[in-house]
Amino acid sequence: MIRTANRLHTVEEYYFSKKLREVRGLMAQGKPIINMGIGSPDLAPSKEIIEAVQNAVWEEGAHQYQSYQGLPELREAMASFYKQRFNVTVEPVNEILPLMGSKEGIMHISMAFLNEGDAVLVPNPGYPTYTSVTKLVGAEVKYYGLTEEGGWFPDIRTLEQMELSKVKIMWVGYPHMPTGATATKTQYKELVDFAKKNDILIVNDNPYSFVLNDHPESIMEVEGAKEVALELNSLSKTFNMAGWRVGMVLGNAEHINAVLKVKSNMDSGMFYGIQKGAIAALNSGQEWFDSLKEVYSKRRNLIFQLADKLNCTYDTNAVGMFVWAKLPAEIESAEEFIDKVLYEKDIFITPGTIFGSNGEGYIRFSLCVTEEKIQEAISRF
């Protein structure tokens, strides 16, 4: 028997990979499951985006291998998007790298900067992939706690008291997943100053910038951020292109080149047509963002009603495509609660514990569900 690599013993199968198998099994039995678990947009990209892809497939060279750095016009569109939406100036030639989704960027960045034995600051609660990728590359996970009382933002004084000598990377993500908390420019500056003081690379994961968020922010707006920070962004949520796998990483040329060294050994470039669709997406007008806000606002108001039915509390000012809700005090286990709802009401909700121990006592609703389905879920209670 051929043994698997030791690194596989450090991680488990992704929660949604396992749980959605269970959910699909229930659906196969005829159960009328309403899936409020995962943040996979159910809406379509714009007509202009789809037409751009359709037209591109007939262009000469469209089906050949593409550049590891993406089309020059794609990088230029990404740079223009950041200038227009965040007032951030980046050089499209060497300060932006298109990615096949920002999730792959987490692995690329980790492989580019971490050696075995290095340490990584990971938020609790936070995106589980930060932990699993850190373990896969042989680095040490050092969790830093986020709390509702602290606005789900790290306490810099507490961080300063930690053993930081081996820390190379700190993962942050605002708007925060799963809570929907946002960060201000002042808070971003605190992170940049902390990173400079301790020689740490801050990576801000920013895919929810434009979902129910009237004031998108980027860590790159802080003066000097490029010296110590990278930012990931994605077209998945903003333009309903999750399955297309288009993301980007921004930073100084030295950091981007390090990521490119890894990426160029792991893929053979993004499909030409998808790049053309991404360019069309990035050139979308304000009406696109307004229409997205209208749909998600209606859905969120209904999710609030559902949360009320479950006697949960929530922050109406949170942003992004989820509602993070606090369970009543008498409920001891979020996972037991969601299983009870799944098997008694045929509704799948995400338990907060999959994002870390500080997620106990919370559940997360996805807004990627039609108004009719949410109304149906409310009626089941």
Side-chain angles (χ1 to χ4, degrees):
M1 181 178 177
I2 299 175
R3 296 181 179 179
T4 57
N6 290 337
R7 68 176 63 90
L8 288 189
H9 302 311
T10 69
V11 297
E12 296 180 359
E13 184 183 1
Y14 193 48
Y15 173 83
F16 285 116
S17 176
K18 292 187 295 184
K19 197 66 179 180
L20 291 177
R21 272 203 305 273
E22 180 183 346
V23 170
R24 285 192 295 269
L26 292 172
M27 295 174 71
Q29 296 171 25
K31 299 286 186 180
I33 303 295
I34 298 175
N35 185 351
M36 296 183 167
I38 197 165
S40 179
D42 60 312
L43 303 168
S46 70
K47 176 172 168 284
E48 291 76 14
I49 295 171
I50 294 172
E51 287 180 347
V53 179
Q54 292 173 328
N55 295 332
V57 298
W58 299 109
E59 293 185 30
E60 185 177 354
H63 306 286
Q64 295 178 324
Y65 289 125
Q66 300 298 314
S67 165
Y68 300 109
Q69 294 176 278
L71 295 169
E73 53 264 44
L74 174 58
R75 298 195 307 274
E76 289 164 6
M78 289 173 170
S80 296
F81 182 83
Y82 254 75
K83 181 62 179 177
Q84 178 184 359
R85 297 291 171 179
F86 295 109
N87 197 29
V88 168
T89 301
V90 286
E91 171 53 60
V93 174
N94 55 19
E95 292 186 337
I96 292 180
L97 181 63
L99 303 170
M100 293 181 182
S102 59
K103 188 175 183 178
E104 76 152 13
I106 297 171
M107 174 61 83
H108 292 346
I109 292 166
S110 298
M111 293 184 71
F113 291 97
L114 295 174
N115 295 312
E116 288 192 20
D118 286 338
V120 179
L121 292 173
V122 173
N124 174 15
Y127 187 33
T129 299
Y130 306 145
T131 293
S132 57
V133 167
T134 298
K135 291 179 177 179
L136 284 170
V137 300
E140 175 193 357
V141 177
K142 294 177 77 74
Y143 290 110
Y144 63 91
L146 303 178
T147 64
E148 186 172 357
E149 295 72 25
W152 304 109
F153 192 82
D155 186 315
I156 301 299
R157 287 175 294 181
T158 301
L159 288 175
E160 292 281 11
Q161 294 170 9
M162 296 176 66
E163 171 53 52
L164 301 173
S165 61
K166 292 184 178 181
V167 174
K168 293 279 290 293
I169 289 177
M170 178 179 180
W171 291 102
V172 299
Y174 293 95
H176 183 243
M177 202 287 289
T179 69
T182 56
T184 64
K185 288 187 179 70
T186 300
Q187 289 174 315
Y188 276 140
K189 185 177 186 307
E190 289 178 11
L191 287 172
V192 169
D193 291 343
F194 169 75
K196 289 181 177 180
K197 180 179 178 181
N198 295 283
D199 295 321
I200 294 172
L201 178 66
I202 298 277
V203 187
N204 186 47
D205 195 7
N206 195 8
Y208 298 97
S209 349
F210 298 97
V211 181
L212 295 175
N213 186 15
D214 292 330
H215 303 287
E217 304 279 2
S218 165
I219 197 169
M220 293 301 176
E221 295 174 76
V222 176
E223 186 177 354
K226 283 183 193 176
E227 299 169 25
V228 292
L230 291 170
E231 180 157 285
L232 290 166
N233 214 316
S234 168
L235 276 62
S236 294
K237 277 69 177 180
T238 304
F239 299 105
N240 302 329
M241 295 167 65
W244 296 45
R245 312 311 304 133
V246 184
M248 66 192 91
V249 58
L250 300 87
N252 69 40
E254 184 179 353
H255 291 158
I256 293 299
N257 189 55
V259 178
L260 176 61
K261 284 184 181 180
V262 174
K263 176 179 166 56
S264 63
N265 282 287
M266 295 184 70
D267 68 58
S268 297
M270 190 187 303
F271 175 53
Y272 179 84
I274 287 179
Q275 294 189 67
K276 286 292 191 175
I279 293 168
L282 291 162
N283 289 327
S284 298
Q286 185 58 41
E287 64 276 4
W288 168 260
F289 298 91
D290 292 341
S291 66
L292 201 67
K293 179 180 179 180
E294 182 179 2
V295 171
Y296 282 130
S297 293
K298 291 177 180 178
R299 292 180 178 185
R300 184 173 62 177
N301 288 336
L302 289 173
I303 290 289
F304 287 162
Q305 292 181 36
L306 179 57
D308 290 339
K309 288 278 187 182
L310 298 174
N311 295 316
C312 293
T313 55
Y314 45 85
D315 180 5
T316 57
N317 294 316
V319 307
M321 59 170 42
F322 306 104
V323 170
W324 179 253
K326 189 171 185 177
L327 290 165
E330 64 270 17
I331 295 175
E332 296 181 356
S333 169
E335 294 192 24
E336 289 180 7
F337 176 81
I338 70 105
D339 280 342
K340 180 178 173 67
V341 172
L342 176 61
Y343 283 92
E344 292 184 2
K345 302 294 184 181
D346 297 319
I347 301 169
F348 173 48
I349 306 166
T350 303
T353 46
I354 77 163
F355 306 106
S357 60
N358 283 5
E360 184 59 272
Y362 295 87
I363 54 176
R364 191 193 74 173
F365 300 89
S366 169
L367 299 183
C368 301
V369 189
T370 64
E371 291 178 51
E372 292 74 19
K373 288 287 186 183
I374 304 173
Q375 290 276 20
E376 169 61 23
I378 293 170
S379 72
R380 293 183 188 180
F381 289 94

PDB file of all heavy atoms in Angstrom, residues 134-153:
ATOM      1  N   THR A 134      -1.529  26.804   5.669  1.00  0.00           N
ATOM      2  CA  THR A 134      -0.369  26.981   6.546  1.00  0.00           C
ATOM      3  C   THR A 134       0.180  25.621   6.981  1.00  0.00           C
ATOM      4  O   THR A 134       1.395  25.377   6.955  1.00  0.00           O
ATOM      5  CB  THR A 134      -0.750  27.817   7.779  1.00  0.00           C
ATOM      6  OG1 THR A 134      -1.177  29.113   7.349  1.00  0.00           O
ATOM      7  CG2 THR A 134       0.433  27.970   8.726  1.00  0.00           C
ATOM      8  N   LYS A 135      -0.707  24.723   7.346  1.00  0.00           N
ATOM      9  CA  LYS A 135      -0.280  23.387   7.763  1.00  0.00           C
ATOM     10  C   LYS A 135       0.299  22.594   6.596  1.00  0.00           C
ATOM     11  O   LYS A 135       1.295  21.863   6.754  1.00  0.00           O
ATOM     12  CB  LYS A 135      -1.456  22.641   8.384  1.00  0.00           C
ATOM     13  CG  LYS A 135      -1.905  23.204   9.732  1.00  0.00           C
ATOM     14  CD  LYS A 135      -3.095  22.435  10.284  1.00  0.00           C
ATOM     15  CE  LYS A 135      -3.501  22.935  11.660  1.00  0.00           C
ATOM     16  NZ  LYS A 135      -4.674  22.192  12.195  1.00  0.00           N
ATOM     17  N   LEU A 136      -0.292  22.715   5.429  1.00  0.00           N
ATOM     18  CA  LEU A 136       0.185  21.963   4.264  1.00  0.00           C
ATOM     19  C   LEU A 136       1.609  22.333   3.874  1.00  0.00           C
ATOM     20  O   LEU A 136       2.355  21.490   3.357  1.00  0.00           O
ATOM     21  CB  LEU A 136      -0.760  22.168   3.076  1.00  0.00           C
ATOM     22  CG  LEU A 136      -2.090  21.408   3.127  1.00  0.00           C
ATOM     23  CD1 LEU A 136      -3.017  21.879   2.018  1.00  0.00           C
ATOM     24  CD2 LEU A 136      -1.856  19.906   3.019  1.00  0.00           C
ATOM     25  N   VAL A 137       1.991  23.592   4.100  1.00  0.00           N
ATOM     26  CA  VAL A 137       3.365  23.997   3.752  1.00  0.00           C
ATOM     27  C   VAL A 137       4.325  23.826   4.919  1.00  0.00           C
ATOM     28  O   VAL A 137       5.500  24.191   4.821  1.00  0.00           O
ATOM     29  CB  VAL A 137       3.411  25.455   3.230  1.00  0.00           C
ATOM     30  CG1 VAL A 137       2.551  25.617   1.982  1.00  0.00           C
ATOM     31  CG2 VAL A 137       2.991  26.457   4.301  1.00  0.00           C
ATOM     32  N   GLY A 138       3.844  23.260   6.028  1.00  0.00           N
ATOM     33  CA  GLY A 138       4.729  22.951   7.151  1.00  0.00           C
ATOM     34  C   GLY A 138       5.000  24.087   8.100  1.00  0.00           C
ATOM     35  O   GLY A 138       5.942  24.023   8.905  1.00  0.00           O
ATOM     36  N   ALA A 139       4.195  25.137   8.029  1.00  0.00           N
ATOM     37  CA  ALA A 139       4.368  26.269   8.951  1.00  0.00           C
ATOM     38  C   ALA A 139       3.454  26.087  10.169  1.00  0.00           C
ATOM     39  O   ALA A 139       2.570  25.234  10.192  1.00  0.00           O
ATOM     40  CB  ALA A 139       4.067  27.584   8.248  1.00  0.00           C
ATOM     41  N   GLU A 140       3.667  26.922  11.164  1.00  0.00           N
ATOM     42  CA  GLU A 140       2.924  26.836  12.420  1.00  0.00           C
ATOM     43  C   GLU A 140       1.809  27.867  12.444  1.00  0.00           C
ATOM     44  O   GLU A 140       2.026  29.049  12.140  1.00  0.00           O
ATOM     45  CB  GLU A 140       3.865  27.087  13.604  1.00  0.00           C
ATOM     46  CG  GLU A 140       3.173  27.138  14.957  1.00  0.00           C
ATOM     47  CD  GLU A 140       4.059  27.682  16.061  1.00  0.00           C
ATOM     48  OE1 GLU A 140       5.248  27.965  15.795  1.00  0.00           O
ATOM     49  OE2 GLU A 140       3.554  27.846  17.192  1.00  0.00           O
ATOM     50  N   VAL A 141       0.611  27.426  12.807  1.00  0.00           N
ATOM     51  CA  VAL A 141      -0.529  28.334  12.936  1.00  0.00           C
ATOM     52  C   VAL A 141      -0.527  28.952  14.327  1.00  0.00           C
ATOM     53  O   VAL A 141      -0.473  28.249  15.334  1.00  0.00           O
ATOM     54  CB  VAL A 141      -1.857  27.591  12.707  1.00  0.00           C
ATOM     55  CG1 VAL A 141      -3.043  28.541  12.925  1.00  0.00           C
ATOM     56  CG2 VAL A 141      -1.909  26.989  11.315  1.00  0.00           C
ATOM     57  N   LYS A 142      -0.573  30.283  14.385  1.00  0.00           N
ATOM     58  CA  LYS A 142      -0.726  31.000  15.655  1.00  0.00           C
ATOM     59  C   LYS A 142      -2.012  31.830  15.543  1.00  0.00           C
ATOM     60  O   LYS A 142      -2.057  32.819  14.817  1.00  0.00           O
ATOM     61  CB  LYS A 142       0.480  31.914  15.925  1.00  0.00           C
ATOM     62  CG  LYS A 142       1.777  31.155  16.161  1.00  0.00           C
ATOM     63  CD  LYS A 142       2.950  32.120  16.361  1.00  0.00           C
ATOM     64  CE  LYS A 142       2.955  32.746  17.738  1.00  0.00           C
ATOM     65  NZ  LYS A 142       3.385  31.802  18.783  1.00  0.00           N
ATOM     66  N   TYR A 143      -3.051  31.372  16.238  1.00  0.00           N
ATOM     67  CA  TYR A 143      -4.343  32.049  16.145  1.00  0.00           C
ATOM     68  C   TYR A 143      -4.347  33.342  16.957  1.00  0.00           C
ATOM     69  O   TYR A 143      -3.764  33.404  18.043  1.00  0.00           O
ATOM     70  CB  TYR A 143      -5.461  31.146  16.654  1.00  0.00           C
ATOM     71  CG  TYR A 143      -5.740  29.976  15.749  1.00  0.00           C
ATOM     72  CD1 TYR A 143      -5.412  28.679  16.136  1.00  0.00           C
ATOM     73  CD2 TYR A 143      -6.348  30.159  14.507  1.00  0.00           C
ATOM     74  CE1 TYR A 143      -5.667  27.592  15.311  1.00  0.00           C
ATOM     75  CE2 TYR A 143      -6.605  29.079  13.676  1.00  0.00           C
ATOM     76  CZ  TYR A 143      -6.260  27.797  14.082  1.00  0.00           C
ATOM     77  OH  TYR A 143      -6.509  26.734  13.260  1.00  0.00           O
ATOM     78  N   TYR A 144      -4.984  34.353  16.409  1.00  0.00           N
ATOM     79  CA  TYR A 144      -5.278  35.548  17.197  1.00  0.00           C
ATOM     80  C   TYR A 144      -6.792  35.710  17.255  1.00  0.00           C
ATOM     81  O   TYR A 144      -7.500  35.521  16.271  1.00  0.00           O
ATOM     82  CB  TYR A 144      -4.590  36.796  16.631  1.00  0.00           C
ATOM     83  CG  TYR A 144      -5.016  37.222  15.240  1.00  0.00           C
ATOM     84  CD1 TYR A 144      -6.058  38.130  15.048  1.00  0.00           C
ATOM     85  CD2 TYR A 144      -4.345  36.756  14.103  1.00  0.00           C
ATOM     86  CE1 TYR A 144      -6.436  38.546  13.779  1.00  0.00           C
ATOM     87  CE2 TYR A 144      -4.711  37.160  12.828  1.00  0.00           C
ATOM     88  CZ  TYR A 144      -5.758  38.056  12.672  1.00  0.00           C
ATOM     89  OH  TYR A 144      -6.142  38.457  11.414  1.00  0.00           O
ATOM     90  N   GLY A 145      -7.291  36.001  18.442  1.00  0.00           N
ATOM     91  CA  GLY A 145      -8.725  36.016  18.667  1.00  0.00           C
ATOM     92  C   GLY A 145      -9.400  37.295  18.200  1.00  0.00           C
ATOM     93  O   GLY A 145      -8.878  38.395  18.383  1.00  0.00           O
ATOM     94  N   LEU A 146     -10.563  37.126  17.591  1.00  0.00           N
ATOM     95  CA  LEU A 146     -11.437  38.236  17.252  1.00  0.00           C
ATOM     96  C   LEU A 146     -12.737  38.038  18.022  1.00  0.00           C
ATOM     97  O   LEU A 146     -13.227  36.913  18.151  1.00  0.00           O
ATOM     98  CB  LEU A 146     -11.728  38.258  15.748  1.00  0.00           C
ATOM     99  CG  LEU A 146     -10.526  38.331  14.801  1.00  0.00           C
ATOM    100  CD1 LEU A 146     -10.998  38.289  13.346  1.00  0.00           C
ATOM    101  CD2 LEU A 146      -9.701  39.576  15.061  1.00  0.00           C
ATOM    102  N   THR A 147     -13.284  39.131  18.533  1.00  0.00           N
ATOM    103  CA  THR A 147     -14.511  39.039  19.314  1.00  0.00           C
ATOM    104  C   THR A 147     -15.515  40.093  18.870  1.00  0.00           C
ATOM    105  O   THR A 147     -15.143  41.128  18.287  1.00  0.00           O
ATOM    106  CB  THR A 147     -14.241  39.245  20.821  1.00  0.00           C
ATOM    107  OG1 THR A 147     -13.764  40.589  21.024  1.00  0.00           O
ATOM    108  CG2 THR A 147     -13.214  38.237  21.337  1.00  0.00           C
ATOM    109  N   GLU A 148     -16.767  39.825  19.168  1.00  0.00           N
ATOM    110  CA  GLU A 148     -17.819  40.785  18.861  1.00  0.00           C
ATOM    111  C   GLU A 148     -17.577  42.088  19.617  1.00  0.00           C
ATOM    112  O   GLU A 148     -17.759  43.189  19.070  1.00  0.00           O
ATOM    113  CB  GLU A 148     -19.176  40.186  19.234  1.00  0.00           C
ATOM    114  CG  GLU A 148     -20.366  41.039  18.840  1.00  0.00           C
ATOM    115  CD  GLU A 148     -21.689  40.324  19.051  1.00  0.00           C
ATOM    116  OE1 GLU A 148     -21.685  39.150  19.455  1.00  0.00           O
ATOM    117  OE2 GLU A 148     -22.736  40.963  18.820  1.00  0.00           O
ATOM    118  N   GLU A 149     -17.131  41.984  20.879  1.00  0.00           N
ATOM    119  CA  GLU A 149     -16.877  43.174  21.692  1.00  0.00           C
ATOM    120  C   GLU A 149     -15.763  44.039  21.084  1.00  0.00           C
ATOM    121  O   GLU A 149     -15.765  45.265  21.223  1.00  0.00           O
ATOM    122  CB  GLU A 149     -16.490  42.757  23.116  1.00  0.00           C
ATOM    123  CG  GLU A 149     -17.592  42.054  23.905  1.00  0.00           C
ATOM    124  CD  GLU A 149     -17.861  40.636  23.425  1.00  0.00           C
ATOM    125  OE1 GLU A 149     -16.935  40.010  22.839  1.00  0.00           O
ATOM    126  OE2 GLU A 149     -18.989  40.141  23.629  1.00  0.00           O
ATOM    127  N   GLY A 150     -14.812  43.391  20.419  1.00  0.00           N
ATOM    128  CA  GLY A 150     -13.704  44.112  19.789  1.00  0.00           C
ATOM    129  C   GLY A 150     -13.968  44.487  18.353  1.00  0.00           C
ATOM    130  O   GLY A 150     -13.040  44.881  17.627  1.00  0.00           O
ATOM    131  N   GLY A 151     -15.225  44.354  17.914  1.00  0.00           N
ATOM    132  CA  GLY A 151     -15.573  44.705  16.539  1.00  0.00           C
ATOM    133  C   GLY A 151     -14.999  43.751  15.520  1.00  0.00           C
ATOM    134  O   GLY A 151     -14.864  44.102  14.341  1.00  0.00           O
ATOM    135  N   TRP A 152     -14.627  42.532  15.959  1.00  0.00           N
ATOM    136  CA  TRP A 152     -14.028  41.515  15.098  1.00  0.00           C
ATOM    137  C   TRP A 152     -12.754  42.031  14.423  1.00  0.00           C
ATOM    138  O   TRP A 152     -12.458  41.689  13.279  1.00  0.00           O
ATOM    139  CB  TRP A 152     -15.040  41.027  14.051  1.00  0.00           C
ATOM    140  CG  TRP A 152     -16.310  40.516  14.647  1.00  0.00           C
ATOM    141  CD1 TRP A 152     -17.528  41.119  14.603  1.00  0.00           C
ATOM    142  CD2 TRP A 152     -16.500  39.290  15.388  1.00  0.00           C
ATOM    143  NE1 TRP A 152     -18.475  40.361  15.268  1.00  0.00           N
ATOM    144  CE2 TRP A 152     -17.876  39.217  15.762  1.00  0.00           C
ATOM    145  CE3 TRP A 152     -15.646  38.256  15.770  1.00  0.00           C
ATOM    146  CZ2 TRP A 152     -18.401  38.158  16.494  1.00  0.00           C
ATOM    147  CZ3 TRP A 152     -16.179  37.198  16.498  1.00  0.00           C
ATOM    148  CH2 TRP A 152     -17.543  37.154  16.849  1.00  0.00           C
ATOM    149  N   PHE A 153     -12.027  42.872  15.152  1.00  0.00           N
ATOM    150  CA  PHE A 153     -10.743  43.399  14.654  1.00  0.00           C
ATOM    151  C   PHE A 153      -9.664  43.047  15.668  1.00  0.00           C
ATOM    152  O   PHE A 153      -9.920  43.043  16.878  1.00  0.00           O
ATOM    153  CB  PHE A 153     -10.821  44.926  14.474  1.00  0.00           C
ATOM    154  CG  PHE A 153      -9.658  45.492  13.703  1.00  0.00           C
ATOM    155  CD1 PHE A 153      -9.643  45.451  12.318  1.00  0.00           C
ATOM    156  CD2 PHE A 153      -8.559  46.046  14.360  1.00  0.00           C
ATOM    157  CE1 PHE A 153      -8.568  45.960  11.602  1.00  0.00           C
ATOM    158  CE2 PHE A 153      -7.490  46.554  13.658  1.00  0.00           C
ATOM    159  CZ  PHE A 153      -7.489  46.511  12.273  1.00  0.00           C
TER     160      PHE A 153
END
